[in-house]
Amino acid sequence: MKQVATVVLVTGLLGCNQQPKKESKLTNHSDKMVQIDSALTTKKAHYSKYHISMDTLFFATETGQTVKYEKDDFNYIVDNHPELFIENPDEPDQSFYCNSGNGEFGSEAGQDNYYILYAYLLKQKNGIDNNQKMRKKLIDIYANINTLFSRFQHGGTYFGHQYARIEGYAEYSVYIYLQSKDHIEKTYNITKQKEFYIKSLRQLIDDESKIDHATFGNDKIALSKELNKIVDNLNNLITDNFYLRRAQEFQYRHYQYY
């Protein structure tokens, strides 16, 4: 249910701006079909500069996973998923749901792979070395939030898939920062706001503990300590307004339970 709700939320609020296919109406108009074929050929030619010539592309994720793509497979993605190579990328959920619901990225594991590839490609645009500290901190923030809610729910496949997709969310956050860093206005001290956010997480731990009927006695006490340690980590990681806002956005967008 959570994943279905997320799909509805993202596609409903963000929109895909996809145009309906018109090929079927042009079956008897060869001149127009030629125009369409020509446009598609031009579009593919534009992105062909991203084709690889090596037999296999290898790259490592920020979480230590090794990913590989055979040349034909990667070049097929270049030709069929230009949204991964555009100058101004959409955020990863919109990019995925508007372009990749079927085919090679259609399964849950396929969606994981899409976000991993999305992060890898956007990282090249953002700059790898110059933004590594920010990238790592964002991944750590998102991973801690994901772990916290995973423990509230006593696990589940959703959180495992989220962990695989975190790099995509983090890389887009790096992109947002780079696009807006010269126009940041909210430079005030965030001590109080951060304090309220951290307190809200600790209150959530207390409230969840009261309705947790799967953990008892010393195990419940130990779990509470473990969860508060996660919040301690977040408290240390959130060092300015940008990280606070990204943490809040990530939590409120992906972890709503009733």
Side-chain angles (χ1 to χ4, degrees):
M1 291 298 292
K2 174 64 173 66
Q3 291 169 333
V4 173
T6 302
V7 173
V8 172
L9 173 66
V10 173
T11 56
L13 294 182
L14 297 178
C16 293
N17 296 318
Q18 291 181 318
Q19 297 298 320
K21 294 183 178 179
K22 299 181 180 180
E23 287 84 344
S24 61
K25 296 182 180 180
L26 300 175
T27 303
N28 298 320
H29 301 274
S30 58
D31 56 334
K32 293 184 179 181
M33 288 301 294
V34 169
Q35 291 176 8
I36 290 175
D37 290 341
S38 177
L40 291 173
T41 301
T42 301
K43 185 177 182 181
K44 285 191 175 184
H46 175 74
Y47 290 102
S48 64
K49 62 185 178 182
Y50 297 106
H51 285 172
I52 61 172
S53 58
M54 65 187 77
D55 291 335
T56 308
L57 170 66
F58 289 92
F59 64 87
T61 69
E62 295 295 323
T63 55
Q65 180 182 354
T66 299
V67 178
K68 75 171 184 175
Y69 281 95
E70 302 299 330
K71 179 175 68 174
D72 290 346
D73 294 334
F74 185 83
N75 291 345
Y76 175 87
I77 291 171
V78 172
D79 291 339
N80 291 276
H81 293 280
E83 78 279 358
L84 290 169
F85 302 89
I86 58 178
E87 183 65 25
N88 300 303
D90 293 323
E91 60 85 33
D93 287 336
Q94 183 177 11
S95 184
F96 174 79
Y97 288 119
C98 291
N99 298 286
S100 304
N102 299 304
E104 65 277 9
F105 297 117
S107 66
E108 288 288 351
Q111 185 174 349
D112 298 347
N113 292 335
Y114 185 92
Y115 283 58
I116 291 170
L117 183 58
Y118 172 101
Y120 168 75
L121 295 171
L122 185 54
K123 188 190 302 184
Q124 317 307 307
K125 183 191 302 288
N126 288 338
I128 299 173
D129 295 332
N130 293 343
N131 301 296
Q132 187 61 20
K133 184 176 180 180
M134 173 182 290
R135 179 178 295 115
K136 185 179 186 309
K137 182 179 284 191
L138 286 163
I139 290 173
D140 286 347
I141 289 172
Y142 296 166
N144 273 280
I145 291 172
N146 187 58
T147 300
L148 183 66
F149 280 85
S150 174
R151 295 309 306 268
F152 288 153
Q153 299 298 118
H154 295 288
T157 58
Y158 174 78
F159 304 100
H161 289 298
Q162 274 294 91
Y163 183 74
R165 299 166 193 174
I166 277 173
E167 289 189 40
Y169 297 122
E171 202 60 47
Y172 186 73
S173 292
V174 173
Y175 171 78
I176 287 176
Y177 176 81
L178 295 176
Q179 296 301 306
S180 60
K181 66 178 181 178
D182 295 331
H183 308 284
I184 292 177
E185 299 176 349
K186 309 298 184 181
T187 57
Y188 45 68
N189 189 299
I190 63 157
T191 300
K192 284 294 184 182
Q193 292 188 45
K194 175 182 167 181
E195 182 180 323
F196 287 137
Y197 177 61
I198 295 300
K199 281 186 176 179
S200 73
L201 294 177
R202 297 198 193 282
Q203 184 62 54
L204 189 58
I205 291 171
D206 290 341
D207 293 341
E208 289 286 337
S209 179
K210 293 174 184 176
I211 63 169
D212 179 6
H213 302 301
T215 312
F216 305 95
N218 291 333
D219 289 339
K220 187 182 287 285
I221 295 172
L223 177 59
S224 180
K225 289 181 178 179
E226 176 188 339
L227 298 182
N228 275 284
K229 180 63 177 176
I230 293 173
V231 176
D232 290 342
N233 294 339
L234 287 168
N235 187 47
N236 292 330
L237 288 164
I238 297 173
T239 53
D240 61 28
N241 189 57
F242 175 75
Y243 292 113
L244 175 61
R245 295 292 176 254
R246 299 316 296 167
Q248 291 171 320
E249 190 275 344
F250 183 73
Q251 176 189 334
Y252 301 146
R253 186 176 197 181
H254 297 285
Y255 304 92
Q256 297 187 40
Y257 297 91
Y258 304 96

